[in-house]
Amino acid sequence: AGLAVALATSAGRAHVERCIARFGLDGVFDVVTTLEDVAHRKPAPDVYLLTVERLGVPPDSVVVVEDSVHGVEAAKAAGLTCWAVRSPNTSPGALASADRLIGGLGELETIVLGSRRPS
């Protein structure tokens, strides 16, 4: 859809690289920011602030997709729009500070791509 996609995580780079390779996600992310790149992990906003800087886009054009309370807190502390994905591990009430609550990644694809979905 022509959107920049980034991964901003409190996980270590070695773990992230293994996951990207394991799930065939090489080349999917324009930017990957990990724990080693920042001074403080989520819920501090560091990882999101650096990721937005690396993307070179205005913060008001960014939508963060999160599934954790600390992630939502970090995104909001960075001043970013945050959509929370429901998770069996997190109660919906815990994600209440997100701007939008979505049911799953399939719903996210429909929202973002809509009619632009490739055939």
Side-chain angles (χ1 to χ4, degrees):
L3 301 172
V5 178
L7 176 63
T9 180
S10 289
R13 183 160 301 277
H15 176 72
V16 170
E17 288 174 354
R18 282 191 306 272
C19 289
I20 287 173
R22 179 178 179 196
F23 294 104
L25 299 173
D26 294 312
V28 169
F29 301 105
D30 298 292
V31 170
V32 175
T33 308
T34 68
L35 176 62
E36 287 90 357
D37 298 314
V38 295
H40 304 98
R41 66 181 348 152
K42 298 174 188 175
D46 302 28
V47 72
Y48 285 120
L49 294 171
L50 181 57
T51 300
V52 171
E53 179 183 319
R54 288 176 169 178
L55 282 170
V57 299
D60 64 355
S61 72
V62 173
V63 175
V64 171
V65 178
E66 261 297 345
D67 67 346
S68 74
V69 174
H70 284 160
V72 171
E73 290 174 5
K76 297 308 295 176
L80 304 173
T81 299
C82 182
W83 295 356
V85 178
R86 287 188 185 105
S87 163
N89 302 321
T90 309
S91 68
L95 303 173
S97 63
D99 297 290
R100 183 174 188 163
L101 188 61
I102 58 176
L105 294 179
E107 185 179 335
L108 176 66
E109 182 181 17
T110 301
I111 293 166
V112 172
L113 296 179
S115 62
R116 296 181 296 183
R117 189 176 196 171
S119 47

